[in-house]
Amino acid sequence: MANKILIDVDEALPEYKWFPLAEKFADDVLKECGWEDEEVSILFCNDNTIAELNKNYRNIEGPTDVLSFESGETYTAEDGNEYFVAGSIAISTETLPKNAEYFEVSMNEELKRLLVHGLLHLNGYDHGEEHVEKGVEPVCEMLVLQKELMEKFQNVVLLENDKL
């Protein structure tokens, strides 16, 4: 059976043509990790929306790049298949280019990193106090796996010409 990747878009954003590619990429990452029959929701939003989520759910002021909200529930679909609802990911498309500039990577690379990061959180990984830092090799299991997945999918292009 397949995973379900549900893409949602903040009403303040345009419908980017790369959304279906992001959906396929997320599914490919789940499959690479051996996670099947999962339902994941991904919200692409602006800084205002992610700042509101950050404040409401983490009591932290201001925008961030990616947030993950684990669910952990299961349900049986109308077709009789059972799905694990991993949860939801929110990604700010306004913070994405700022991150790419800071990390000195393409926006394509940063979008993939944010998706991988969110998916790992939904599947039980945590990095504690360690965060991705420019020029610093990751140590914790989650960030090491994230790096490995990024290398595995390095040739995947979600953003042609590196433009949203």
Side-chain angles (χ1 to χ4, degrees), residues 3-49:
N3 295 304
K4 284 186 179 181
I5 311 297
L6 309 169
I7 302 286
D8 197 11
V9 183
D10 191 329
E11 61 188 34
L13 296 181
E15 284 285 332
Y16 293 114
K17 67 179 184 179
W18 51 264
F19 288 149
L21 299 173
E23 180 180 335
K24 181 183 180 327
F25 176 76
D27 187 44
D28 290 345
V29 169
L30 291 173
K31 288 176 182 172
E32 178 66 25
C33 292
W35 299 321
E36 297 180 12
D37 306 332
E38 288 197 6
E39 181 177 291
V40 173
S41 298
I42 303 170
L43 170 67
F44 291 103
C45 60
N46 62 21
D47 278 352
N48 289 337
T49 299

Side-chain angles (χ1 to χ4, degrees), residues 10 12 22 30 51-52 63 66 70 77 83 85 102 112 114 141 164:
D10 191 329
L30 291 173
E52 186 176 314
V66 59
E70 289 182 63
Y83 286 93
V85 182
Y102 171 78
K112 292 187 297 183
L114 294 176
E141 182 183 12
L164 292 175

